[in-house]
Amino acid sequence: MKDITLGQYFPGNSVIHRLDPRAKLLCVVLYIAMIFVASSVSGVIFSVFLTLFLIILSGIPLKIFLRGMKPVLFIVLFTTFLNLFLTSGETLLVDFGFIHIYLEGLCSSILIVVRITLLVAGSGLFMTYTTTPIALSDGLESLLAPLKKIKVPVHEFSMMLTIALRFIPTIMEETEKIMNAQKARGADFTTGSLVNRAKALIPVLIPLFVSAFRRADELAVAMECRCYRGDEGRTRMKILKYTKSDIAFLAAGVIFVIGMILLNRFLPIYRLR
């Protein structure tokens, strides 16, 4: 459970920490676009070095990002397996019985692994690791403000996102406490078949759901006691304002996306499928 870093905020005073949350959300969109545009070896290498540069710039240890990859390790391995053995091509590398591995499948697997890794690291860097849930909610609400004209509940959506991100670490901590308590009573979650291990989690899920509903009820009571009535008449302690750093990061994001397109076109090295 300690490996799940989703929703955790790591305080700091780096350039990325000081960015406006709206700029961070837009940077995430540009970053994702750049990752998916990268379809050559040169583009993938550039994306990796850019992500490492952003991680160093944030001041957050690299091991935090590596820990955050553990929960999605199964997805990475599963997609790698599918692309490696089910993608056909022209250059055959391994031909053993029903196993056929092509160079195109190997390159496609590497591309998928790198993309998923970079997406998890980059989105986590901008959205949760360097941004508080409240700031993220305010930024999202500000970006989606035009949708209020067509009666979209933007504030409620942003509030739900804030609460969800805020309580992910709390739920993980609560799960770990319950599992440790069950282990002290003789429960075993690591041995036996997959079915037996799944059954062993039932005594964990029941108290976890009870605790989650209790926390939700306490939160609702606390919000009512503070006269929370949604977006009506609500003010903010910190007013969002773009700075030169925000404009510079957004401009750099646009330049990187355009540069990635040109890099794939004029210097592909090896174009991936």
Side-chain angles (χ1 to χ4, degrees):
M1 294 301 170
K2 294 180 180 179
D3 294 330
I4 300 179
T5 57
L6 179 63
Q8 294 187 16
Y9 170 70
F10 297 91
N13 193 34
S14 66
V15 177
I16 299 181
H17 280 85
R18 295 193 299 267
L19 290 177
D20 188 282
R22 296 170 296 179
K24 293 181 184 180
L25 290 171
L26 294 176
C27 284
V28 169
V29 175
L30 294 173
Y31 178 84
I32 293 175
M34 185 192 69
I35 296 301
F36 279 99
V37 166
S39 59
S40 63
V41 173
S42 55
V44 172
I45 294 175
F46 176 79
S47 301
V48 171
F49 279 102
L50 176 61
T51 305
L52 291 175
F53 173 75
L54 292 174
I55 292 174
I56 296 174
L57 195 64
S58 68
I60 300 176
L62 182 60
K63 63 180 181 181
I64 298 297
F65 294 89
L66 297 178
R67 281 171 48 193
M69 285 301 303
K70 290 183 179 180
V72 297
L73 184 60
F74 173 77
I75 299 177
V76 173
L77 295 177
F78 182 70
T79 53
T80 301
F81 175 81
L82 289 180
N83 283 273
L84 185 61
F85 294 100
L86 299 182
T87 301
S88 59
E90 299 178 355
T91 306
L92 184 62
L93 297 179
V94 177
D95 186 8
F96 183 76
F98 63 92
I99 299 178
H100 305 285
I101 300 178
Y102 294 87
L103 177 62
E104 291 78 5
L106 179 61
C107 294
S108 178
S109 302
I110 296 175
L111 176 61
I112 292 296
V113 171
V114 174
R115 276 181 174 173
I116 295 177
T117 304
L118 295 180
L119 286 175
V120 173
S123 58
L125 173 65
F126 283 105
M127 295 185 62
T128 57
Y129 295 161
T130 61
T131 311
T132 61
I134 294 178
L136 184 63
S137 173
D138 291 342
L140 182 62
E141 183 177 355
S142 177
L143 288 177
L144 299 180
L147 297 179
K148 293 181 180 179
K149 296 180 180 180
I150 57 176
K151 306 300 181 180
V152 175
V154 175
H155 175 75
E156 286 73 12
F157 175 75
S158 302
M159 180 60 66
M160 287 189 296
L161 176 64
T162 302
I163 294 173
L165 290 175
R166 167 62 183 84
F167 278 95
I168 286 177
T170 304
I171 295 299
M172 294 299 102
E173 183 181 358
E174 188 74 19
T175 303
E176 186 176 8
K177 289 181 179 179
I178 295 174
M179 292 183 69
N180 290 334
Q182 295 291 343
K183 289 178 181 179
R185 293 174 174 84
D188 187 5
F189 302 104
T190 58
T191 60
S193 62
L194 183 62
V195 176
N196 292 333
R197 282 183 286 179
K199 291 181 179 179
L201 291 176
I202 296 179
V204 177
L205 296 178
I206 296 176
L208 181 62
F209 273 107
V210 172
S211 175
F213 282 116
R214 184 178 67 252
R215 289 181 182 274
D217 182 67
E218 293 175 353
L219 178 62
V221 172
M223 295 174 71
E224 290 181 356
C225 291
R226 289 166 174 79
C227 300
Y228 176 76
R229 295 295 181 270
D231 192 29
E232 184 179 356
R234 183 172 180 263
T235 60
R236 293 179 174 85
M237 184 176 67
K238 295 183 179 180
I239 305 299
L240 299 180
K241 184 179 180 181
Y242 285 108
T243 62
K244 293 181 180 180
S245 298
D246 302 319
I247 303 300
F249 264 81
L250 291 176
V254 175
I255 292 174
F256 285 146
V257 173
I258 298 175
M260 185 64 68
I261 297 175
L262 297 177
L263 189 65
N264 292 329
R265 182 178 178 84
F266 298 105
L267 190 62
I269 298 180
Y270 182 85
R271 189 172 297 277
L272 300 170
R273 297 180 64 183

